[in-house]
Amino acid sequence: MRAHQGHEKTSLEPSQANRQPDRGRNPTSLDALEPATILYLQEAAGNQSVTRLIQRATDTAIAPAAPGQDAEVVAQQALPQLATDPVLDLVEELVAAAASLAGTGSASKALAVIDVHVNSPGSRSTETGKELDPLARLGDVLSADDMVKRLTALNAKQRLTLKQHVHNRLAHMQGQDTEVLAQEALPAFATDPVVDLSEEIVEAARPLAGMPQANAMWAAITDQVLSASPTRRSAPANADTDPMAALQAVLYGSTVVAGIYELTPDNNAKPKKREELRARKHSVLSHVFHQLEAVASERAATATEPSLGTITHEFDLIQASSVKGYLKTLQEYAGARDGLLQAFGALEVGSRVALNRAAAYYNTPPMTTVTAFAGKTLQWPAIVHSSMAAAIRQAEGKLYATLAVKMQQDPVAAATWFAGLQDSFHNLGDGVEIRANANNAFAMSVHSWGWAIDVDAELNPNFAKGSPQGIVKVVTGQDIDKGSSGKGRGNFTTGKQYEDVKVEAERLREISQDYTAAFESEDTLKQLMLRYVNGALATNWPTSFADDLLRTAQTADQAGDDQGRNVAELLKELKEVAATGAVSKGPSTLLQPPPSLQDIMESAELARLGQTLVWLARVYRQSIAKPPPVGPPNRVAADFEGTPSTIAVHGFMNLDPDLVAALVSSGLRWLGSVGEGTKDFMHFELVNPPALY
Ligand SMILES: [Zn+2]
């Protein structure tokens, strides 16, 4: 970051203490030049920084401080404008100390360690015996007496600025550009709306941290910060006496609302800008959460149960609890930490109690291991909350009841049906998986709480990528965004009875089967093309036209002609052939009349059709595995992120309709029947989840 170049001389200054002459108590800068240290520094900050450090050591040696004037003063004289801001020095020192962790799997840990120390200086004793561990070294730097003093001297705003800049610098070093992009437009160290906004909110919310209203406080903050049109309200009358009213006065007051507007995209904003602003809003929430959580943890601390202080200590507590099996590494914990702590009420009771609540939640029971379903042993067990296990048992009971009824009618058919049902699934997924939404640290997946199962994920995929709904409609003529009634709002199976759910599940499975049948081979593909064109043009072209359609569409696809102009041209010719038996070459262009409105509409229609045929050719081509096989088409593998081509081979709904009916009518919501938007055919979740604590 160019703007920082003037400050880099301070980048490896270990601390003021290091420049004092007593080597016995305090390492001098020359200690920092021992071979092992140089290696570490080279790794941490690069050769240039080491050269500068050597330079500095030499400077200090040849320019001894006058009596009563220590080296710090000498440095200040050399760089007068820098010494005025203690935050700048700290930014450089912390970045240098954490530099070797940037871009590694430990980067988020390093940031969390820095945040904790900046929030509560000296909150942790130095871990010993880990000199070779860069994270432990970072902890050492942060725990040094002098560093603690300097951090303690900062006010809240300086702390926030410090963290903000260390985060940005390290993100920059590891090439994570989202946060950096957002920052680069701003002159370094200038007023940052993220910092200002976070600070305003934290100051107003601080009295509520560690109090019973903390969760309501957090909900209000989240709603307002993430709002697309932040609300402005006049201050409540009791703002002087009620801390919640005081927070509302600030949260809905002109300063904060203006700050949030700065981070809110307008309607014309490009996707990249939206993404950037969204990331910055989440950055505000993270800053606010970290600070308030630290306050709550300090308030909840007792002599026997002090504040955990660091993410490492939190992780130690997790490793000694039932949560251990779900968060195996510190990195996994770092990714889920904020959402987990928030969900278990850390803003109200502090992190230690929140983690104890989590430990109670993940005990066995209520966590339950499901190893079999409907008489079939699962490929691997699923661990779910007892409420989910109860729903699964209830569904199983319904399937056995259905079997009993069928047995009385026709035992052989009943046995065949039940065997088919058992064949239609193999696993219920892993069950509990503690993870945050990739885009929102505070939105935890419901899998985190054991409230969801994923049945045979690959064969019943998620439609997040590629949005195959459109092509499914082209190929099958059916709209899977709508239920059989044609209505498309909300989830069209939730809360319905067994038979009603089964109707919807059967319909979706048939659409899935029709879709794969259309892409079974080149032969079925060309039949699909002809069928589609005949439907769209209300014609009855013969099968002999299909070869031309397929070949022309395939050629256009291979040539990358997404517009399919040649295909549209072919369609025009075929129309003439069908009408007259031959292609009329027509008079020369000079003599042609201007195109009528009907001509224009017809060419637009043919262009659209041409494009669609190229699309179909592409979906089929991409459904063939690479490299091209010698024998019969070797198809692509199934994927839990369904694309038009993977579902062309494997379908998207392979669950037995009775299985879906039994699960949904037992209190589960199926994301395969979401009215509009993202579909997830594998996923069933509790409609009425239990409390976490
Ligand atoms: Zn799921």
Side-chain angles (χ1 to χ4, degrees):
M1 213 178 265
R2 274 168 304 286
H4 294 171
Q5 275 173 359
H7 308 144
E8 282 184 357
K9 282 198 176 161
T10 57
S11 66
L12 280 170
E13 226 163 67
S15 72
Q16 285 94 331
N18 290 0
R19 273 174 259 119
Q20 290 172 4
D22 186 346
R23 297 181 70 166
R25 282 185 292 116
N26 297 295
T28 68
S29 53
L30 290 173
D31 281 319
L33 299 179
E34 282 163 5
T37 314
I38 289 177
L39 280 177
Y40 166 69
L41 289 170
Q42 279 173 328
E43 189 195 350
N47 287 330
Q48 281 193 328
S49 301
V50 176
T51 310
R52 276 197 295 275
L53 183 64
I54 293 167
Q55 187 64 49
R56 168 175 293 281
T58 317
D59 289 350
T60 310
I62 60 169
Q69 186 191 32
D70 65 15
E72 175 65 8
V73 178
V74 174
Q76 282 182 2
Q77 283 167 348
L79 301 160
Q81 80 281 21
L82 300 183
T84 56
D85 189 346
V87 176
L88 303 191
D89 292 339
L90 286 166
V91 167
E92 299 301 335
E93 287 181 38
L94 297 187
V95 167
S100 71
L101 295 157
T104 71
S106 302
S108 54
K109 282 182 252 171
L111 291 174
V113 168
I114 289 172
D115 282 358
V116 166
H117 280 269
V118 174
N119 290 342
S120 5
S123 59
R124 157 192 187 276
S125 59
T126 305
E127 289 183 43
T128 53
K130 289 189 179 174
E131 285 78 13
L132 295 175
D133 174 3
L135 206 58
R137 276 184 171 273
L138 176 61
D140 291 346
V141 169
L142 286 159
S143 308
D145 288 348
D146 184 66
M147 177 62 82
V148 171
K149 264 185 227 153
R150 291 161 69 200
L151 291 174
T152 307
L154 301 179
N155 64 32
K157 183 147 187 164
Q158 288 172 317
R159 273 168 215 211
L160 200 58
T161 309
L162 173 58
K163 286 185 286 179
Q164 181 83 9
H165 288 294
V166 171
H167 279 241
N168 291 342
R169 289 279 299 279
L170 290 171
H172 190 68
M173 293 168 95
Q174 62 196 45
Q176 286 177 355
D177 56 1
T178 323
E179 183 72 357
V180 175
L181 277 176
Q183 296 304 320
E184 288 224 310
L186 301 165
F189 302 120
T191 310
D192 180 332
V194 169
V195 175
D196 291 346
L197 191 53
S198 308
E199 189 54 25
E200 293 276 348
I201 296 171
V202 167
E203 286 313 311
R206 192 184 296 275
L208 292 159
M211 301 295 156
Q213 309 101 307
N215 291 335
M217 160 196 87
W218 181 247
I221 293 171
T222 306
D223 284 355
Q224 178 73 335
V225 170
L226 295 182
S227 171
S229 49
T231 321
R232 177 102 165 72
R233 286 184 217 155
S234 48
N238 54 344
D240 292 342
T241 51
D242 177 3
M244 195 64 167
L247 169 63
Q248 285 166 351
V250 170
L251 204 52
Y252 306 114
S254 55
T255 311
V256 164
V257 169
I260 297 172
Y261 262 113
E262 276 195 67
L263 304 180
T264 304
D266 59 38
N267 290 335
N268 304 321
K270 298 210 163 68
K272 194 176 174 186
K273 180 76 179 170
R274 283 177 186 280
E275 187 77 358
E276 187 183 303
L277 291 174
R278 194 187 47 71
R280 304 193 74 198
K281 283 193 168 189
H282 285 292
S283 170
V284 169
L285 288 180
S286 291
H287 282 301
V288 172
F289 181 81
H290 289 164
Q291 302 221 57
L292 296 179
E293 179 270 310
V295 172
S297 292
E298 284 307 324
R299 286 190 177 150
T302 64
T304 48
E305 298 207 316
S307 164
L308 290 163
T310 69
I311 189 171
T312 319
H313 289 170
E314 289 169 7
F315 188 64
D316 290 345
L317 189 65
I318 283 175
Q319 291 310 291
S321 81
S322 58
V323 192
K324 179 181 179 176
Y326 306 115
L327 291 169
K328 295 196 175 68
T329 64
L330 185 56
Q331 197 185 352
E332 269 177 29
Y333 175 57
R337 176 186 185 268
D338 292 358
L340 187 75
L341 289 180
Q342 196 276 320
F344 284 101
L347 291 180
E348 180 200 347
V349 294
S351 293
R352 182 187 286 274
V353 177
L355 288 174
N356 286 337
R357 284 174 173 176
Y361 182 79
Y362 288 104
N363 260 331
T364 312
M367 287 302 141
T368 308
T369 303
V370 179
T371 56
F373 181 61
K376 178 174 179 172
T377 301
L378 299 170
Q379 273 175 322
W380 61 83
I383 302 174
V384 295
H385 188 269
S386 55
S387 308
M388 181 47 128
I392 291 171
R393 292 296 157 238
Q394 192 185 338
E396 198 173 52
K398 292 186 179 201
L399 291 171
Y400 285 138
T402 306
L403 176 63
V405 171
K406 286 178 187 280
M407 277 295 203
Q408 290 187 343
Q409 293 158 351
D410 181 346
V412 175
T416 307
W417 165 77
F418 199 70
L421 182 132
Q422 288 183 323
D423 285 347
S424 86
F425 69 89
H426 302 86
N427 63 72
L428 304 181
D430 298 333
V432 176
E433 196 185 332
I434 301 180
R435 60 183 153 90
N437 179 312
N439 294 322
N440 182 354
F442 298 101
M444 299 292 280
S445 154
V446 291
H447 286 285
S448 303
W449 321 130
W451 297 345
I453 50 172
D454 288 334
V455 188
D456 281 31
E458 273 82 12
L459 291 175
N460 303 286
N462 181 305
F463 272 8
K465 287 181 190 161
S467 300
Q469 286 98 314
I471 192 123
V472 168
K473 196 170 180 181
V474 162
V475 172
T476 65
Q478 296 286 325
D479 188 351
I480 58 171
D481 277 339
K482 296 188 167 86
S484 56
S485 71
K487 291 186 185 128
R489 289 225 165 249
N491 190 309
F492 51 81
T493 62
T494 303
K496 289 196 172 166
Q497 296 301 307
Y498 189 105
E499 287 304 326
D500 295 333
V501 177
K502 190 177 164 183
V503 167
E504 300 295 342
E506 272 171 344
R507 172 177 171 266
L508 288 169
R509 191 167 70 159
E510 274 166 29
I511 297 170
S512 171
Q513 289 168 348
D514 287 352
Y515 183 83
T516 51
F519 287 107
E520 198 181 318
S521 64
E522 280 201 353
D523 203 47
T524 58
L525 174 64
K526 76 186 177 195
Q527 287 165 26
L528 163 67
M529 289 179 172
L530 184 68
R531 192 165 64 240
Y532 186 68
V533 170
N534 273 333
L537 298 177
T539 52
N540 193 20
W541 292 355
T543 318
S544 56
F545 285 17
D547 283 327
D548 265 355
L549 288 176
L550 176 68
R551 229 183 346 268
T552 312
Q554 284 181 327
T555 306
D557 165 42
Q558 298 282 7
D561 174 15
D562 292 350
Q563 305 299 314
R565 287 195 193 83
N566 289 341
V567 186
E569 203 54 43
L570 171 73
L571 290 167
K572 199 175 174 191
E573 283 174 20
L574 292 176
K575 271 191 99 169
E576 289 176 20
V577 171
T580 66
V583 181
S584 73
K585 288 297 165 199
S588 84
T589 25
L590 276 178
L591 299 175
Q592 271 185 0
S596 66
L597 183 61
Q598 198 190 339
D599 290 338
I600 292 169
M601 288 185 53
E602 187 189 283
S603 5
E605 167 76 350
L606 295 183
R608 195 185 60 75
L609 269 178
Q611 222 169 349
T612 303
L613 296 192
V614 175
W615 190 16
L616 294 174
R618 179 158 308 160
V619 170
Y620 180 75
R621 174 170 58 80
Q622 291 177 346
S623 77
I624 307 292
K626 288 169 192 162
V630 182
N634 196 9
R635 314 297 295 272
V636 291
D639 193 328
F640 66 89
E641 293 274 13
T643 70
S645 297
T646 59
I647 65 167
V649 183
H650 306 279
F652 52 86
M653 158 53 183
N654 289 288
L655 298 171
D656 190 288
D658 279 289
L659 179 71
V660 175
L663 289 169
V664 171
S665 63
S666 299
L668 300 185
R669 180 186 294 113
W670 181 38
L671 298 192
S673 51
V674 173
E676 263 162 28
T678 304
K679 299 201 187 328
D680 196 356
F681 292 91
M682 69 186 86
H683 182 105
F684 297 82
E685 64 186 32
L686 284 172
V687 174
N688 298 308
L692 287 175
Y693 59 87

